[in-house]
């Protein structure tokens, strides 16, 4: 890190900043502004201060959705991250056979998000789906429409199928960049597999893993498309996540409340990301 | 590798392949099956009619074209704006650099649902609704930060002396970028293109809100196929079509896909 200090480097950032300003900063400021207004049409907006925020935070439904979103993120992260890292470690020393595995796990990443649910629903269809018919033959009843636990299992399964590849790719990027002499030295010292992972591999992949954790956290915390397509938040709101509530507000044209909700969701996501980065950089400094 | 660890790998990756491929097998099977009755045909029989219909229907053909247009445009924008920015982060320190990096991260972490509402009003005001250009622009909100991170890590891996030699050789900044820098970080460009594609091609929330009457991408064309009596065979044929460009992308970057992701904040 002996880069020269030069403020004219800002000039190189100008195209990117202009683009981000138009597509991200202006919309975000607009949501912030909307969230303090009662909006009938876009020309008829009335300043109401913090009323939307008070209404939302007083509503137990909001806290319910927040809890469900947090639980979903926790489940998804605790399955996908260890599994992905384990697979990446298994892929080491597979030489050229690692490439087909990477291509395999990358496949679900290119599926349109609205078809993830469609593909899984047709797979488990009891009359026509491959897995559905197998389950029927084995006498398993999988009722994702009316049994909350089954809806959860299906959403977690579909999400893991969709995103495991990202974890594997980034974790593999980290572990495959570790020079071989490190492991050879560990082998000479007689280090156990666990010790090698804890002392050599884990510290070297924290960079790649932080990206994975953050991306997976946000995308699972604000899951919308898959969850909506599978059961639209049912049964009995058992899978109503934050983004589903937000979309319901947008679709019913209560823009002011939708904006306040959007700001709350954004602030939660940003706080978690900020705390995560602070903890990580403190850990590095030590 | 011992027999034990070899067989462990065969079992694990065999199971992984089954898990990953099963939904695709189901999709491909359905796409070759007649799911709604038609004259002279029975439902459930093997058929190519679904694919024939995809090519025969103008709305479906246009949607493929719309998707390709906005994704190409989005990747072009991300590279054009991302390369200079990534170069600045990789080669210089400047006042506020860490804050800009955190802001970029924050925007990558902004859920699309949060932005969808004002983006629609803003783009409606400047005539960017119902066109692939609008989608290409708005997808930069999450793709440009990704592009900058990936490109930065690839540029940082090139020794600084390389730049200095090129400037001594008399290259101007644009000529250095195009003739010297881009060729050495070509794998990085490939990986950037792949990840921009992955997050843009499949995005639904912003693509839906920005295409009310026209300019619909593949994802929205598939949504429109759902109805009272959904022709699942046709839906799946369209889904298979939507996978082809993505599979081509995976093939092109297969040897470089697992490189170049570090976080610096």
């Amino acid at each position: 890190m002996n880069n020269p200090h030069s403020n004219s480097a800002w000039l190189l950032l100008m195209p990117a900043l202009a683009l981000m300003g138009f597509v991200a900063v202006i919309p975000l400021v607009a949501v912030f502004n909307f969230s303090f207004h009662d909006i009938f049409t876009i020309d008829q907006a009335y300043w109401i201060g913090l009323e939307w925020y008070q209404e939302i935070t007083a509503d137990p439904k909001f806290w319910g959705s927040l809890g469900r979103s947090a639980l979903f993120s926790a489940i998804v992260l605790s399955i996908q991250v260890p599994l992905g890292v384990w697979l990446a470690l298994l892929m080491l020393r597979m030489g050229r056979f690692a490439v087909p595995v990477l291509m395999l796990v990358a496949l679900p990443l290119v599926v349109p998000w609205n078809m993830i649910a469609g593909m899984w629903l047709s797979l488990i269809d009891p009359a026509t789906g491959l897995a559905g018919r197998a389950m029927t033959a084995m006498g398993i009843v999988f009722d994702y429409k009316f049994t909350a636990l089954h809806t959860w299992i299906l959403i977690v399964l579909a999400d893991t199928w969709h995103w495991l590849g990202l974890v594997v790719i980034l974790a593999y990027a980290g572990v495959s960049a570790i020079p071989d002499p490190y492991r050879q030295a560990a082998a000479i010292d007689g280090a156990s597999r666990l010790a090698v992972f804890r002392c050599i591999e884990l510290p070297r992949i924290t960079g790649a893993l932080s990206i994975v954790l953050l991306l997976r956290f946000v995308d699972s915390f604000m899951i919308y498309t898959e969850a909506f397509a599978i059961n639209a938040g049912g049964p009995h709101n058992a899978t109503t996540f934050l983004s589903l509530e937000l979309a319901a507000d947008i679709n019913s044209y209560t823009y002011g409340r939708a904006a306040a909700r959007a700001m709350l969701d954004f602030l939660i996501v940003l706080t978690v990301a900020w705390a995560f980065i602070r903890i990580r950089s403190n850990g590095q400094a030590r | 590798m011992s027999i034990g660890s070899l067989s462990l790998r065969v079992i694990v990756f065999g199971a992984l392949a089954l898990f990953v491929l099963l939904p695709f097998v189901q999709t491909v099977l359905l796409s070759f099956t007649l799911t709604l009755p038609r004259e002279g045909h029975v439902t459930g029989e093997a058929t190519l009619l679904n694919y024939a219909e995809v090519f025969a229907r103008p709305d479906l053909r246009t949607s493929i074209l719309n998707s390709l247009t906005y994704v190409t445009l989005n990747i072009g924008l991300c590279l054009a704006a991302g390369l200079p920015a990534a170069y600045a982060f990789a080669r210089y320190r400047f006042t506020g650099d860490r804050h800009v990096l955190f802001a970029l991260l924050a925007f990558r972490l902004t859920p699309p649902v949060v932005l969808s509402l004002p983006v629609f009003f803003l783009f409606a005001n400047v005539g960017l609704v119902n066109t692939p250009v609008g989608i290409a622009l708005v997808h930069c909100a999450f793709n440009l930060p990704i592009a900058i991170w990936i490109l930065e890590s690839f540029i940082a891996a090139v020794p600084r002396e390389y730049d200095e030699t090129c400037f001594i050789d008399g290259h101007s900044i644009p000529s250095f970028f195009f003739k010297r820098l881009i060729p050495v970080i070509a794998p990085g460009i490939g990986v950037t293109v792949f990840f921009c594609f992955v997050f843009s091609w499949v995005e639904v929330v912003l693509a839906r809100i920005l295409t009310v009457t026209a300019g619909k991408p593949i994802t929205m064309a598939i949504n429109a196929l759902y109805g009272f009596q959904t022709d699942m065979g046709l839906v799946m044929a369209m889904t298979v079509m939507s996978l082809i460009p993505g599979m081509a992308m995976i093939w092109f970057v297969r040897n470089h896909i697992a490189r170049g992701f570090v976080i610096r904040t």
Side-chain angles (χ1 to χ4, degrees):
Chain A
M1 284 299 115
N2 46 5
N3 281 339
H5 194 279
S6 160
N7 276 336
S8 52
W10 273 98
L11 287 177
L12 290 167
L13 291 186
M14 280 309 146
L17 294 182
L19 200 50
M20 291 306 284
F22 182 64
V23 301
V25 179
I26 296 179
L28 208 56
V29 172
V31 189
F32 189 58
N33 179 37
F34 286 172
S35 71
F36 298 111
H37 289 85
D38 194 0
I39 297 168
F40 296 101
T41 67
I42 205 66
D43 305 315
Q44 272 188 295
Y46 298 97
W47 175 267
I48 56 162
L50 288 171
E51 269 179 48
W52 289 127
Y53 290 96
Q54 283 156 358
E55 184 188 314
I56 294 167
T57 49
D59 187 354
K61 275 198 214 147
F62 169 74
W63 298 104
S65 309
L66 179 61
R68 280 186 290 272
S69 284
L71 178 65
F72 181 72
S73 278
I75 295 175
V76 156
L77 286 174
S78 58
I79 292 176
Q80 293 172 7
V81 174
L83 185 61
V85 172
W86 182 61
L87 288 171
L89 289 173
L90 280 183
M91 283 161 66
L92 282 173
R93 289 184 295 142
M94 289 199 357
R96 58 201 171 85
F97 290 107
V99 171
V101 178
L102 284 174
M103 290 169 66
L104 177 77
V105 294
L107 266 185
L109 291 176
V110 301
V111 178
W113 291 4
N114 54 346
M115 282 316 293
I116 306 254
M119 287 170 80
W120 275 89
L121 290 182
S122 46
L123 181 67
I124 60 159
D125 189 295
T128 55
L130 296 169
R133 275 181 298 180
M135 283 193 294
T136 314
M138 286 187 287
I140 302 170
V141 181
F142 191 80
D143 181 20
Y144 71 92
K145 275 278 174 218
F146 298 105
T147 312
L149 179 67
H150 292 183
T151 315
W152 271 82
I153 292 176
L154 185 60
I155 299 179
V156 170
L157 208 60
D159 191 78
T160 304
W161 178 78
H162 185 184
W163 288 109
L164 185 63
L166 190 72
V167 184
V168 173
I169 290 171
L170 299 191
Y172 182 73
V175 288
S176 63
I178 300 171
D180 259 348
Y182 281 82
R183 289 203 189 80
Q184 287 155 3
I188 292 167
D189 290 347
S192 67
R193 185 68 191 87
L194 193 68
V196 171
F197 176 69
R198 220 167 51 86
C199 302
I200 297 177
E201 285 162 342
L202 197 58
R204 301 283 297 223
I205 59 171
T206 44
L209 275 187
S210 328
I211 277 269
V212 172
L213 278 171
L214 280 177
L215 287 182
R216 283 315 301 131
F217 164 68
V218 193
D219 290 345
S220 60
F221 193 67
M222 294 304 289
I223 185 173
Y224 174 70
T225 318
E226 296 94 326
F228 187 79
I230 283 177
N231 213 357
H236 302 295
N237 289 336
T239 55
T240 301
F241 300 115
L242 287 174
S243 54
L244 269 70
E245 271 194 325
L246 173 54
D249 267 354
I250 295 179
N251 293 338
S252 63
Y253 302 102
T254 36
Y255 293 140
R257 195 168 64 197
R261 226 183 257 289
M263 278 324 286
L264 283 172
D265 296 350
F266 176 64
L267 286 178
I268 297 169
V269 166
L270 208 60
T271 312
V272 173
W274 181 80
F276 177 80
I277 287 168
R278 284 308 295 266
I279 292 167
R280 208 177 87 73
S281 51
N282 283 347
Q284 272 177 342
R286 246 181 274 133
Chain B
M1 206 178 280
S2 69
I3 301 288
S5 70
L6 183 68
S7 50
L8 171 73
R9 281 170 175 77
V10 170
I11 293 168
V12 169
F13 291 115
L16 181 69
L18 191 70
F19 175 60
V20 170
L21 292 179
L22 212 52
F24 287 106
V25 172
Q26 178 76 63
T27 302
V28 173
L29 280 179
L30 270 178
S31 74
F32 286 107
T33 310
L34 199 68
T35 50
L36 280 189
R38 277 184 226 198
E39 220 178 294
H41 298 279
V42 226
T43 52
E45 71 173 27
T47 179
L48 285 171
L49 281 175
N50 295 324
Y51 286 94
E53 193 171 340
V54 168
F55 289 108
R57 279 176 61 163
D59 56 333
L60 297 183
R61 270 182 298 154
T62 333
S63 75
I64 297 179
L65 204 65
N66 284 337
S67 273
L68 289 173
T69 313
Y70 88 72
V71 165
T72 315
L73 213 62
N74 174 262
I75 292 173
L77 278 169
C78 287
L79 284 179
L83 261 175
Y87 186 79
F89 286 121
R91 287 291 190 253
Y92 300 103
R93 283 177 299 128
F94 44 91
T95 315
D97 48 357
R98 288 167 66 88
H99 297 103
V100 178
L101 273 178
F102 184 77
L104 285 174
L105 178 73
F107 285 121
R108 173 54 189 84
L109 299 182
T110 311
V113 195
V114 169
L115 292 181
S116 57
L117 189 59
V119 159
F120 176 74
F121 291 129
L122 175 68
F123 281 35
N125 269 331
V126 289
L128 282 170
V129 171
N130 295 333
T131 133
V133 183
I135 308 180
L137 274 172
V138 78
H139 283 182
C140 288
F142 46 81
N143 271 351
L144 189 55
I146 291 269
I148 294 177
W149 282 332
I150 302 176
L151 291 170
E152 195 265 351
S153 73
F154 276 86
I155 297 174
V158 178
R160 148 179 301 282
E161 290 73 28
Y162 180 80
D163 307 18
E164 285 158 5
T165 322
C166 294
F167 287 123
I168 292 169
D169 284 351
H171 281 283
S172 64
I173 287 182
S175 122
F176 164 71
F177 263 94
F178 285 107
K179 293 207 182 113
R180 289 288 179 265
L181 187 65
I182 291 178
V184 291
I185 57 159
I189 307 253
V191 175
T192 311
V193 169
F194 174 75
F195 278 99
C196 287
F197 176 90
V198 159
F199 289 113
S200 173
W201 181 260
V202 295
E203 202 277 339
V204 176
V205 175
L206 292 168
R208 168 169 43 219
I209 205 147
L210 285 180
T211 52
V212 186
T213 52
K216 287 192 185 297
I218 292 185
T219 43
M220 291 307 106
I222 293 175
N223 261 7
L225 291 177
Y226 279 91
F228 173 62
Q229 254 201 329
T230 307
D231 189 350
M232 278 316 278
L234 179 62
V235 169
M236 290 308 179
M238 195 60 191
T239 307
V240 172
M241 295 300 293
S242 79
L243 295 176
I244 294 171
M247 284 153 85
M249 293 294 284
I250 294 176
W251 178 256
F252 286 129
V253 296
R254 67 189 181 284
N255 291 319
H256 306 287
I257 204 172
R259 284 186 54 200
F261 248 105
V262 281
I263 183 171
R264 284 208 341 198
T265 41

